[in-house]
Amino acid sequence: MPENPRPETRKHGVAVSAGIAVGRAYLVGRDSLKAPRHHIDSDDVDTEVARLKKALAAADKQLEKVKDKLASEHESDYHIISAHQLMLHDEHLADAALGYIRTENICAEWALRKAVDDIAGVFNTIEDDYLRERMSDVEFVYERVLRNLLGRDTGPLSPPPDAVVVAYDLSPADTSTLHKAAVAGLITDAGGRTSHTAIIARAHEIPAVVGLENITETVETDDLLIVDGGAGVVIINPTAATVARYREEQWRQVAAGAQLLTLRDLPAETKCGQARVQLFANIDSPEELDDAIEYGAEGIGLVRTEYLYMTSDALPDEETHVHNATSMVQRMAGRPATLRTFDLGADKLARFLEDAKLEEANPALGLRSIRLCLADLGMPLFRTQLRGLLRASVHGPLRIMFPMISGVAELRAAKAVLEDVRAELRREGVPFDEHIKVGIMIEMPSAALTADVLAKEADFFSIGTNDLIQYTMAVDRVNELVSYLYEPLHPALLRLIGGVAEAARHAGISVTVCGEMAGDPTVVPVLLGLGIQELSMSAVAIPEVKSVVRAMTLAGARGLVDDVLTLPTADDVRAAVHAYMDTLGLAAKSSG
Ligand code: PEP
Ligand code: MG
């Protein structure tokens, strides 16, 4: 057999996590999806039938979209996908599964599996290897329908070390387990730069490219892959010469990273000495603290505590919160740690939310985040977390932050619960920091536009640009079809950020940017020019951001912002920013 039977192919996607990976493909999905198997009441038969039909139709639509995007030279892929679509309507799969629901009163997932098993039984008797292997196509179709039924992937992933994980999409919880398996890279069909999957990949320094649209259809298990996470390129079945070239680039990047790390103990001060920027890290769990310190974080600007709820089936109890927060505060040894109360919902799911079965047409606009904290779910989730955070506050400078605050009324509602919990702890004689700082995330236009009044009732602001862009541009941050509109440098965004910075300055409170924009070296001069002097990002981004801060002047940043605020489009802004970076002798790398 020839060493490289299939030709080298390149695919372009969204560059989300820099670095180069060379490894074998590990396709995710099939084995990790657990199909529920349970009997249903006769009254529920119609509902289950409708569920399955909906999932089949959704799968069909997704495959149609994949086909639409296939380039003309991929005729064979086109035909395979058409065949998959035909299977969705095939009597042996769809009709048989629908039949099982009706005759055996079983749930849609089980019925579908039974139909697939029947087909497998027939395939197994086929002598011809090629035809027998086509069973994998049936399994692929099954997997896609099942995903639609379940709404997501489930189960822990266990890729071999140095594999490149290839998935339609990965839940943040799955992604967060990947570093432990030491995967080389990650590529997905779906997703955008600020999908939580992308954020986690960056935090774990896993080279990643997302939004590749049909990569799971193109790559086969064990294909050799190169992932260039900085350029957003994936190379399938590279030649030996290509592998050698990328290995060299990999070493060059590692050496450049090591060079940047030498800045660790130097301050993030502008060249003119006029601005001292604070650089913080965004983390999920205490395990990331070592990296944060290693890269020179001056504190933790954002702890996404929702990971406590996402990575375990059990709800975290008060002691878990105390333990988690205390370990962070202690490890940071006097440097501030800002813990955000749980920000669940939309693409961040937890077991209890599945059990609550919230049926929402628009989860990103639904019962999520602080709304969930304040909702009556029959469990004191929010109070439990607040008690834990307050108790941990005796160990060092812990700040509490509420996510997705829409305006003053919601802030007051959240603070009222906090006040109640404080009173309770006082009554119980449990100590906590009476002067604990309580701040909010500014993540939606309603908050940005009322920042002046919010600033009177919050101790600090942190601008969550990932969501602020999503809600300002009305563009789903995880939808690759509209990712071209996801624009950090859109004039609307810059005006909103500038307004929030001004309101905070006027009220004398601090303001951080903690969205992914903060870690984008190209955007940093714009943020400084807009009046931001605290940035919180994936720890790995800190050295490069620091190198930009140390190369620029405050006057230069202000001049740049005076200029860009007059520009009509994000492209114009980007061109101006790139020109400015050139004057600093720094090549602009990303910015959207
Ligand atoms: C943000 O929205 O910018 C943010 C930091 O929060 P998250 O990415 O967790 O939604
Ligand atoms: Mg957010």
Side-chain angles (χ1 to χ4, degrees):
M1 194 153 143
E3 198 207 319
N4 187 4
R6 292 164 66 217
E8 173 175 308
T9 332
R10 273 169 191 261
K11 297 268 172 201
H12 290 265
V14 184
V16 296
S17 180
I20 289 179
V22 182
R24 296 272 164 196
Y26 173 85
L27 274 117
V28 166
R30 218 158 277 178
D31 298 329
S32 60
L33 287 172
K34 279 198 216 106
R37 288 177 180 223
H38 57 80
H39 286 277
I40 53 170
D41 290 337
S42 314
D43 291 345
D44 292 330
V45 164
D46 287 346
T47 318
E48 267 326 85
V49 165
R51 263 184 82 225
L52 182 53
K53 284 187 173 165
K54 194 171 157 201
L56 289 163
D60 197 6
K61 215 161 141 192
Q62 288 153 7
L63 292 175
E64 194 58 45
K65 272 192 206 146
V66 173
K67 278 201 322 195
D68 285 347
K69 298 219 171 74
L70 277 181
S72 51
E73 70 265 28
H74 294 123
E75 212 184 319
S76 58
D77 295 7
Y78 191 95
H79 290 310
I80 292 171
I81 297 168
S82 297
H84 288 176
Q85 281 179 294
L86 284 177
M87 284 182 212
L88 289 169
H89 304 284
D90 189 82
E91 53 171 326
H92 299 294
L93 188 73
D95 293 359
L98 291 166
Y100 275 133
I101 298 178
R102 293 194 181 101
T103 56
E104 302 206 14
N105 282 13
I106 55 176
C107 67
E109 292 87 347
W110 191 1
L112 186 66
R113 187 64 244 176
K114 273 173 86 71
V116 171
D117 287 345
D118 291 349
I119 299 171
V122 177
F123 267 86
N124 285 339
T125 61
I126 297 177
E127 297 230 334
D128 182 305
D129 283 353
Y130 174 81
L131 282 179
R132 211 175 43 243
E133 274 163 28
R134 291 312 96 209
M135 186 57 209
S136 64
D137 289 313
V138 182
E139 288 287 354
F140 173 78
V141 170
Y142 162 73
E143 181 198 325
R144 188 175 280 274
V145 180
L146 189 58
R147 275 195 189 142
N148 281 289
L149 277 171
L150 297 174
R152 67 182 186 94
D153 286 331
T154 57
L157 303 175
S158 50
D162 296 329
V164 172
V165 172
V166 184
Y168 173 76
D169 196 5
L170 283 178
S171 68
D174 277 343
T175 317
S176 64
T177 61
L178 284 183
H179 68 299
K180 294 189 186 111
V183 297
L186 170 61
I187 58 179
T188 61
D189 291 340
R193 192 170 159 76
T194 60
S195 59
H196 289 100
T197 310
I199 293 171
I200 296 165
R202 267 197 293 289
H204 294 163
E205 299 175 50
I206 303 171
V209 178
V210 302
L212 285 153
E213 296 177 351
N214 61 352
I215 200 73
T216 49
E217 317 265 349
T218 324
V219 167
E220 289 173 15
T221 295
D222 283 339
D223 274 350
L224 185 62
L225 300 176
I226 294 176
V227 181
D228 184 345
V233 170
V234 174
I235 305 171
I236 307 162
N237 294 312
T239 62
T242 308
V243 172
R245 219 176 44 250
Y246 273 91
R247 287 264 186 232
E248 217 169 278
E249 174 59 17
Q250 198 175 27
W251 281 110
R252 202 197 57 69
Q253 289 187 7
V254 169
Q259 171 66 26
L260 280 174
L261 270 182
T262 61
L263 295 176
R264 189 185 63 184
D265 299 323
L266 298 175
E269 190 174 80
T270 50
K271 199 171 168 192
C272 56
Q274 301 275 301
R276 170 69 170 85
V277 180
Q278 302 279 316
L279 300 181
F280 301 132
N282 294 346
I283 64 167
D284 298 338
S285 64
E287 284 115 69
E288 292 168 62
L289 288 167
D290 285 348
D291 269 358
I293 291 167
E294 170 73 13
Y295 287 111
E298 295 171 89
I300 303 298
L302 168 65
V303 182
R304 290 182 164 99
T305 64
E306 51 274 14
Y307 281 88
L308 285 174
Y309 302 75
M310 293 167 69
T311 49
S312 155
D313 277 352
L315 282 173
D317 60 9
E318 185 176 321
E319 295 312 313
T320 305
H321 287 297
V322 175
H323 179 75
N324 187 60
T326 303
S327 59
M328 294 191 187
V329 177
Q330 285 179 336
R331 180 79 180 85
M332 291 313 287
R335 286 167 282 199
T338 306
L339 282 92
R340 174 173 78 182
T341 57
F342 65 86
D343 179 28
L344 288 164
D347 66 330
K348 289 189 275 194
L349 292 174
R351 183 59 194 258
F352 80 90
L353 286 174
E354 281 169 38
D355 294 345
K357 290 202 172 54
L358 302 172
E359 297 275 342
E360 295 184 289
N362 287 308
L365 303 180
L367 187 59
R368 60 171 296 201
S369 200
I370 193 70
R371 302 164 187 187
L372 207 48
C373 297
L374 296 172
D376 181 7
L377 296 169
M379 308 172 254
L381 294 176
F382 192 38
R383 293 181 70 92
T384 302
Q385 180 170 40
L386 292 175
R387 279 182 65 98
L389 296 180
L390 284 169
R391 281 176 54 198
S393 68
V394 292
H395 297 288
L398 183 158
R399 310 198 305 173
I400 292 179
M401 177 158 75
F402 298 132
M404 298 256 321
I405 290 288
S406 59
V408 169
E410 210 165 31
L411 170 57
R412 286 184 185 161
K415 284 177 74 174
V417 179
L418 179 65
E419 198 39 62
D420 208 51
V421 171
R422 289 159 72 123
E424 188 175 75
L425 290 176
R426 276 186 212 111
R427 278 197 306 277
E428 293 170 12
V430 177
F432 63 91
D433 175 7
E434 287 283 357
H435 305 288
I436 190 166
K437 296 262 184 287
V438 181
I440 60 171
M441 296 212 41
I442 304 279
E443 302 186 85
M444 43 179 110
S446 61
L449 294 169
T450 54
D452 56 334
V453 280
L454 281 164
K456 296 195 177 111
E457 305 193 25
D459 293 329
F460 63 90
F461 285 161
S462 191
I463 308 179
T465 47
N466 304 338
D467 278 313
L468 188 58
I469 300 170
Q470 158 163 271
Y471 296 122
T472 303
M473 302 297 297
V475 77
D476 181 347
R477 65 194 256 188
V478 295
N479 184 340
E480 73 278 10
L481 300 178
V482 285
S483 60
Y484 66 97
L485 280 170
Y486 194 92
E487 263 300 352
L489 292 178
H490 191 284
L493 247 297
L494 303 185
R495 285 165 204 218
L496 287 175
I497 294 171
V500 175
E502 174 57 22
R505 193 192 59 75
H506 196 254
I509 65 171
S510 70
V511 56
T512 310
V513 170
C514 69
E516 292 306 295
M517 256 174 108
D520 182 339
T522 309
V523 175
V524 166
V526 180
L527 293 177
L528 257 65
L530 286 168
I532 301 291
Q533 300 211 342
E534 292 181 11
L535 302 169
S536 193
M537 64 202 79
S538 297
V540 61
I542 291 176
E544 194 169 1
V545 166
K546 189 184 280 186
S547 73
V548 173
V549 171
R550 291 177 61 84
M552 56 181 278
T553 63
L554 192 57
R558 287 186 176 149
L560 170 68
V561 163
D562 285 346
D563 204 20
V564 298
L565 285 178
T566 64
L567 299 174
T569 72
D571 282 346
D572 297 326
V573 174
R574 183 167 294 105
V577 171
H578 286 191
Y580 176 73
M581 293 296 275
D582 280 346
T583 67
L584 300 181
L586 299 167
K589 273 200 195 146
S590 50
S591 79

